[in-house]
Amino acid sequence: TEVMMTFTTRAVVTQDKENDAIDVEKMDNLRVIVARENGDIVYNNTKQVDDGASTATVSFQTQVKMGGENFKFFAIANENGILPTQNLGNIQSGDIEALKNSIVGNGSEFTINNAIPQTKYWTAKVNPYESLSVSQQLDYLVSKISVQFKNETNKTQSLSNIHITGITPNGKGRLFNHPTGE
């Protein structure tokens, strides 16, 4: 059975430039981990994303039991921005439940040194001899605020030392947002 997955970022675009996303909101790399219902890993690979594109496609093939099987799918974009650092390339079958429920963040506000991590977790039934094609939108691990100032004075203006008060950073959260009921 062949499984093809397409992932899309939720990159905010600037007004008047639909394909001009902020660099830290793009995908640099994408790791996809697929496990059988019992936790056996059937796929774990990283793909470099060309020029920080907002869409990436991954496909692989695996044997599926007669009658079909439920698989767990994990997608992690920009894993080098996750704190504390995760060693997802060496994850073992027994670690799948811990991965699904893992907490990330070091308790302080997120410092943007790398592209913002984005993730998605879901389960799906895969039937033998049928191709599965899935599209998923990734979720950011951080909340963002975007403010746009429009100068309507016809004079040069400058802004500096701007702060938004009343927001207390949590600094911790789940690596994956769980589908309803999980």
Side-chain angles (χ1 to χ4, degrees), residues 16-163:
D16 304 329
K17 294 183 182 178
E18 292 182 7
N19 60 1
D20 195 16
I22 300 169
D23 285 342
V24 296
E25 296 180 1
K26 296 180 180 179
M27 277 191 276
D28 285 338
N29 54 65
L30 175 67
R31 176 176 299 280
V32 175
I33 301 170
V34 181
R36 296 183 190 281
E37 192 169 18
N38 67 2
D40 290 347
I41 297 171
V42 296
Y43 184 82
N44 182 357
N45 206 352
T46 300
K47 174 181 183 166
Q48 288 304 121
V49 180
D50 295 331
D51 297 323
S54 61
T55 300
T57 300
V58 173
S59 61
F60 74 98
Q61 293 183 345
T62 188
Q63 296 288 327
V64 178
K65 294 178 185 175
M66 292 305 294
E69 293 181 67
N70 289 322
F71 283 82
K72 298 175 183 179
F73 296 87
F74 301 87
I76 304 100
N78 308 325
E79 69 181 275
N80 58 341
I82 297 173
L83 298 172
T85 304
Q86 309 285 302
N87 192 359
L88 299 174
N90 294 328
I91 191 166
Q92 301 295 313
S93 293
D95 300 329
I96 288 298
E97 282 303 308
L99 174 64
K100 183 177 114 177
N101 296 309
S102 64
I103 302 295
V104 296
N106 59 9
S108 63
E109 62 188 271
F110 187 81
T111 302
I112 300 176
N113 293 328
N114 299 310
I116 298 172
Q118 302 169 56
T119 65
K120 191 65 148 191
Y121 162 74
W122 76 100
T123 59
K125 184 169 185 178
V126 179
N127 293 311
Y129 311 112
E130 293 179 14
S131 294
L132 175 66
S133 181
V134 177
S135 293
Q136 292 286 353
Q137 185 172 332
L138 300 173
D139 299 317
Y140 286 108
L141 261 62
V142 296
S143 296
K144 306 176 300 173
I145 297 174
S146 178
V147 179
Q148 187 176 53
F149 296 98
K150 186 173 181 181
N151 182 1
E152 295 181 347
T153 66
N154 294 327
K155 294 181 182 178
T156 302
Q157 302 290 320
S158 66
L159 298 170
S160 61
N161 203 14
I162 298 172
H163 298 277

